[in-house]
């Protein structure tokens, strides 16, 4: 099929062997997230992933799929993302299968090298790196790279590839440097909070897949591709591209161009840096800090933000400590979401007198120096190298809190808001759909799919259009009754399907879907026409929106089946999802954030004055719509989520999905209906008895 | 056969009036592919009027330095690619690239290879944007014209790009950062 290259590269590190899996069998799964899930399912030992409370995810048996999609490497906007999936060590209360993803230029390069994806299994006996140059794949000794930060690793690999030659001209059929995905010390030291980094600051953060690389003795994968991606209708593709770009398709809440978000004392001059095939977003910027001359800090996201508040609070302005922190967190390959949330939580422990020299949590991490560069260097080094307290913190905050004996207390109070299965990153829009969806998967969903248009009428109408088969405008009713209704269940179901497919094409989350658009006459966005037309131009085959969502449903069910094998059950799908602990989410107290405040996380909202002026707070706090007597109205009045009603909601949702309401598992009929009969059989074989 | 010839004539006539293949597809009974082929043929013939194409039609020239945004550190030499059109009615053209504006999105390279070869590839593009992710701004992105590499064709200002019928050259059209400009005035 056009768009696909026809080959998937499988690296068996134990045998130090590279094999080819033909893509044909997996074409139905489109690519990215979908194809990754299917490959994981086929390649992994089912006994290994049945009841994951006994495993860590660091076993050689863990299978990691690194998957670009069918559109990767073409000119379709927003195709630079790559899905990474496997057993995530960070998951709590047990490691779980989840997807993370990253941008940059890695995915398209994999396609140009001739592969639809890379599957990594086994464990090398000694540190290795993988050198991929088109069909030439070599697993090489990496003992000299082990111990290096990620940036030095990249430099060293580039040097080895170029030899005596210089970059800037043609080398072996390309002018491009190899694209590298790899780890620094945090990954080598099996941090459950270690991420995979690529380039300067692209990273797959959630899940701890950096630690999985480390456990496999895999330092990095370097790819050069000099080939091409075949396209069915090139001219049409260029036409559709121009049509979509003329209309500036994309999300209205896209990040600003240029360096601004969050960072103060803004460095200049700078470059807006984007992923492969990014539209005008260029959501990152590379800069030379005006204060310190620190070069090459890019990223406008969490890695850029996580130390700004501390730096600013201490010094009245950002002094460059925040820039150093950004560089370091990436060089060490630590998930910045974790580094950030963990830091604010540790600070509360310090303020409560629980943490410090000679305290209950005895550490030389000196909070009187918080905000300085010295502090953040010390903190990050501890995390990356597991020094002192870092040995516990590298296990992720849920496990660390358990070890410190404060998990129950802090989950109840909301000091610790690890609501999404222990995986750092709290949801950014306080949208109930986001929360539910995350609860039904194994991480914060991070899906910015529900955006609000000019009016609630229009918003409701558009989402009704986008959500076959229900076409239900009441899906947008997020009132006190609405959040527990079948309408909200439909929106959650729609989002699970759409977002699965978004990760499979792939499309950048900041770009798709185009629901509203100021450039069109009626203000309507150009989704789903855009998605359908791009797909047709690239592959030469039609794929309707209904079909897109149907395949998304199949992916969602396969994902669910894997969680069921792990031990997922209805009785643990609560916020935070670690029974027996009670949760602040259901208990509304004065001044305590509830569903409608900026985030489920408390700390960002209650922190010191500096944080109040911090731009994070001004990111869209979502109003919600209420539909009453034939009319929509806005509200921002917060209300608590009630546990009993949340329970009833689950019954509605499970029914809607065709899942057993007792267990939350897909029924056999549902799986068979999705074309997943073999999956149903496997579940049975593994002792998961499905309802017919 | 006669039918086709007259259709071809009609198409050429319409191209001569400044119409694009997509604009006339409903006025001629030709397959899209055929129409695009005729358009290429027509463009070639037009380019040949009054003279033959000579090697060196596209040349690379280096201007001195051009100050760009960012002050002292950011003085860059601006390399331009120039189309020389000997004895034709077409004016000379230059493409200027401001590397400091480039976001490394690769759209220009994808558009170039797609417009000419019908597939996307970095190695098949005439224009080459080369980034060092760890390099220091503004010297972390440089561009290159592939005149030095025989394996890839030279930039032809999209004259022989079978899949392109835009008003401007492909790379400049798709660049979201406005880093590529086409001009008829010599920047040197
Ligand atoms: S002008 Fe046309 S041929 Fe030349 S580099 Fe740009 S897209 Fe390629
Ligand atoms: S299209 Fe523009 S911004 Fe993108 S790589 Fe080319 S020159 Fe740079």
């Amino acid at each position: 099929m056009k768009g696909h290259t026809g080959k998937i590269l499988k690296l068996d590190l134990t045998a130090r062997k590279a094999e080819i899996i033909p893509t044909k069998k997996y074409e139905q799964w489109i690519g990215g997230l979908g194809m990754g899930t299917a490959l994981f399912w086929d390649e992994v030992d089912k006994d290994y992933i049945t009841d994951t409370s006994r495993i860590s995810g660091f076993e050689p048996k863990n299978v990691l799929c690194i998957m670009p999609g069918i559109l990767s490497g073409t000119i379709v906007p927003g195709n630079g993302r790559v899905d990474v999936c496997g057993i995530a060590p960070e998951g709590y209360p047990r490691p779980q299968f989840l997807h993370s993803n990253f941008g940059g230029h890695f995915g398209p390069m994999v396609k140009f090298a001739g592969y639809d994806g890379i599957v990594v299994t086994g464990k090398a006996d000694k540190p290795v790196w993988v050198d991929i140059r088109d069909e030439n794949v070599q697993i090489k000794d990496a003992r000299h790279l082990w111990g290096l930060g990620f940036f030095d690793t990249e430099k060293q690999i580039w040097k080895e590839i170029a030899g005596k030659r210089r970059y800037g001209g043609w080398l072996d059929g390309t002018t491009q440097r190899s694209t590298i995905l790899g780890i620094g010390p945090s990954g080598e030291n099996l941090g459950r909070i270690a991420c995979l980094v690529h380039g300067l600051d692209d990273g797959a953060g959630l899940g701890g897949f950096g630690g999985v690389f480390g456990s496999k003795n895999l330092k990095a994968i370097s790819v050069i591709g000099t080939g091409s991606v075949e396209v069915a209708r090139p001219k049409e593709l260029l036409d559709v591209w121009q049509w979509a770009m003329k209309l500036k398709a994309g999300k209205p809440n896209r990040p600003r161009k240029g360096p601004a978000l969050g960072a103060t004392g803004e460095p200049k001059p700078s470059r807006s840096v984007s992923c492969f095939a990014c539209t005008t977003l260029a959501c990152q910027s590379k800069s030379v800090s005006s204060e310190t001359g620190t070069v090459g800090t890019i990223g406008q996201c969490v890695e850029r933000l996580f130390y700004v508040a501390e730096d600013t609070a201490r010094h009245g302005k950002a002094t460059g400590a925040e820039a150093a922190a950004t560089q370091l967190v990436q060089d060490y390959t630590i998930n910045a979401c974790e580094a950030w949330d963990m830091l604010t939580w540790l600070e509360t422990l310090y303020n409560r007198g629980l943490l410090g020299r000679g305290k209950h949590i005895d550490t030389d991490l000196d909070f009187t120096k918080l905000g300085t560069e010295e502090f953040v260097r010390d903190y990050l080094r501890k995390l990356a190298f597991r020094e002192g307290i870092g040995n516990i913190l590298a296990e992720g905050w849920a496990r660390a809190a358990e070890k410190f004996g404060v998990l129950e207390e802090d989950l109840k109070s909301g000091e610790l808001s690890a609501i999404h299965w222990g995986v750092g990153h709290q949801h950014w829009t306080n949208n109930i759909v986001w929360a539910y969806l995350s609860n039904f998967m194994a991480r914060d969903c991070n899906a910015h799919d529900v955006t609000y248009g000019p009016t609630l009428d229009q918003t409701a109408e558009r989402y009704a259009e986008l959500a076959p088969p229900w076409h239900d405008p009441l899906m947008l009713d997020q009132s006190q009754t609405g959040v527990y209704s079948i309408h909200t269940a439909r929106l959650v179901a729609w989002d699970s399907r759409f977002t699965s497919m978004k990760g499979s094409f792939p499309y950048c989350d900041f770009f798709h879907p185009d629901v509203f658009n100021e450039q069109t006459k009626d203000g309507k966005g150009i989704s789903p026409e855009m998605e359908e037309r791009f797909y047709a131009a690239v592959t030469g085959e039609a794929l309707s929106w209904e079909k897109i969502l149907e395949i998304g449903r199949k992916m969602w069910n396969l994902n669910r089946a894997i969680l069921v094998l792990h031990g997922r059950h209805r009785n643990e799908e609560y916020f935070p999802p670690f029974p027996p602990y009670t949760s602040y989410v259901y208990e509304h107290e004065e001044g305590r954030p509830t569903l409608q405040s900026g985030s489920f996380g408390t700390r960002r909202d209650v922190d010191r004055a500096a944080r109040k002026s911090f731009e994070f707070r001004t990111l869209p706090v979502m109003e919600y719509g209420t539909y009453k007597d034939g009319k929509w109205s806005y509200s921002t009045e917060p209300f608590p989520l009630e546990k009993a009603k949340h329970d009833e909601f689950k019954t509605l949702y499970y029914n809607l999905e065709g899942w057993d309401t007792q267990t939350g598992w897909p029924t056999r009929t549902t799986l068979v209906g999705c074309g997943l009969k073999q999956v149903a059989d496997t579940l049975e074989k593994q002792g998961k008895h499905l309802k017919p | 056969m006669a039918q086709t010839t007259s259709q071809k004539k009609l198409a050429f006539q319409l191209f001569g009036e400044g119409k694009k293949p997509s604009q006339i597809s409903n006025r001629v009974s030709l397959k899209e592919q055929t129409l695009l082929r005729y358009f290429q043929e027509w463009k070639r013939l037009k380019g040949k009027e009054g003279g033959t194409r000579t090697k060196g039609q596209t040349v690379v020239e280096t201007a001195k330095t051009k100050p760009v945004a960012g002050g002292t550190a950011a003085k860059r030499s601006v390399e331009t690619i120039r189309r020389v059109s000997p004895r034709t009615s077409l004016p000379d053209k230059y493409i200027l690239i401001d590397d400091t504006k480039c976001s490394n999105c690769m759209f220009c390279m994808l558009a170039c290879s797609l417009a000419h070869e019908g597939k996307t590839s970095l190695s098949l593009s005439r224009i080459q944007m080369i980034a060092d992710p760890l390099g220091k701004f503004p010297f972390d992105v440089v561009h290159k014209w592939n005149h030095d590499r025989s394996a890839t064709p030279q930039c032809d200002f999209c004259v022989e790009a079978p899949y392109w019928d835009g008003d401007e050259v492909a790379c400049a059209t798709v660049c979201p950062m406005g880093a590529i400009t086409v001009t008829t005035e010599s920047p040197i």
Side-chain angles (χ1 to χ4, degrees), chain B residues 81 95 108 111-113 115-116 125-128 145 154-159 161 164 169-172 180 182:
Chain B
I81 191 159
I95 296 179
C108 54
C112 184
S113 73
H116 291 81
S125 169
R126 285 118 185 95
I127 183 174
Q128 293 286 323
W145 293 102
Q154 279 194 7
C155 167
D156 62 353
F157 283 71
C158 298
V159 171
W164 183 252
V169 296
C171 56
I180 307 176
V182 182

Side-chain angles (χ1 to χ4, degrees), chain A residues 73 75 105 112 168 170 173 175-176 200 226-229 234-235 238 241 269-272 274 277-278 286 295, chain B residues 36 99-100 102-107 118-121 123 128-130 132-133 135-137 140 144 149 163 165 174:
Chain A
I75 200 169
H105 293 68
F112 295 143
W170 289 91
T175 60
Q176 308 296 308
L200 180 51
T226 66
S228 44
V229 175
K235 171 150 190 319
L238 282 162
W241 191 97
S270 65
R271 177 189 301 288
S272 291
S274 70
C278 175
K286 178 185 243 179
V295 178
Chain B
L36 285 168
D99 295 342
T100 61
C102 174
S103 71
N104 197 22
C105 69
M106 306 294 197
F107 271 142
K119 47 191 176 186
T120 50
S121 166
S123 295
Q128 293 286 323
M129 301 304 297
I130 310 171
D132 174 2
K136 296 185 185 182
F137 177 85
D140 51 339
K144 194 152 192 78
R149 185 179 178 250
Y163 306 102
D165 66 359
V174 300

Side-chain angles (χ1 to χ4, degrees), chain A residues 344-506:
Chain A
T344 24
W345 172 61
L346 290 178
E347 195 190 348
T348 65
L349 291 174
Y350 167 74
N351 290 336
R352 283 146 67 195
L354 290 171
L355 180 143
R357 243 185 228 289
K359 295 282 167 54
H360 169 67
I361 303 162
D362 190 4
T363 173
D364 60 357
L365 187 63
D366 186 358
F367 268 90
T368 60
K369 295 208 176 110
L370 184 65
T372 62
E373 188 172 326
E374 186 193 341
F375 176 89
V376 80
R377 284 188 180 279
D378 188 32
Y379 166 62
L380 293 176
R381 198 187 52 249
K382 284 183 159 66
L383 284 186
F385 293 93
R386 286 180 171 267
E387 280 174 18
I389 191 179
N391 195 29
I392 296 170
L393 300 179
E395 292 290 293
W397 46 338
R399 285 180 177 79
E402 193 181 66
K403 189 102 181 170
F404 296 154
V406 295
L407 183 61
E408 176 156 20
E409 182 189 337
D410 285 7
L411 280 177
K412 192 162 180 206
S413 69
E415 291 292 7
L416 190 58
S417 54
I419 63 160
H420 297 312
W421 304 100
V423 177
H425 188 276
Q426 299 305 307
H427 64 4
W428 178 77
T429 61
N430 47 331
N431 175 331
I432 188 66
V433 176
W434 183 302
Y436 283 151
L437 192 62
S438 304
N439 198 230
F440 294 132
M441 50 165 84
R443 55 163 280 190
D444 176 294
C445 68
N446 205 16
H448 304 72
D449 300 325
V450 180
T451 48
Y452 278 60
T455 68
L456 279 170
D457 275 319
Q458 282 162 288
T459 310
E461 191 191 314
R462 272 299 273 153
Y463 279 93
E465 247 175 274
L466 289 173
W470 312 293
H471 297 299
D472 173 9
L474 287 181
M475 289 192 315
L476 258 288
D477 181 0
Q478 315 263 292
S479 61
Q480 295 226 29
T481 47
V483 294
Y484 308 112
S485 71
I486 183 70
H487 312 293
T488 295
R490 286 173 184 155
L491 193 55
V492 175
W494 170 79
D495 202 5
S496 72
R497 294 165 197 192
F498 173 71
T499 226
S500 299
M501 281 301 274
K502 185 171 61 183
S504 302
F505 286 122

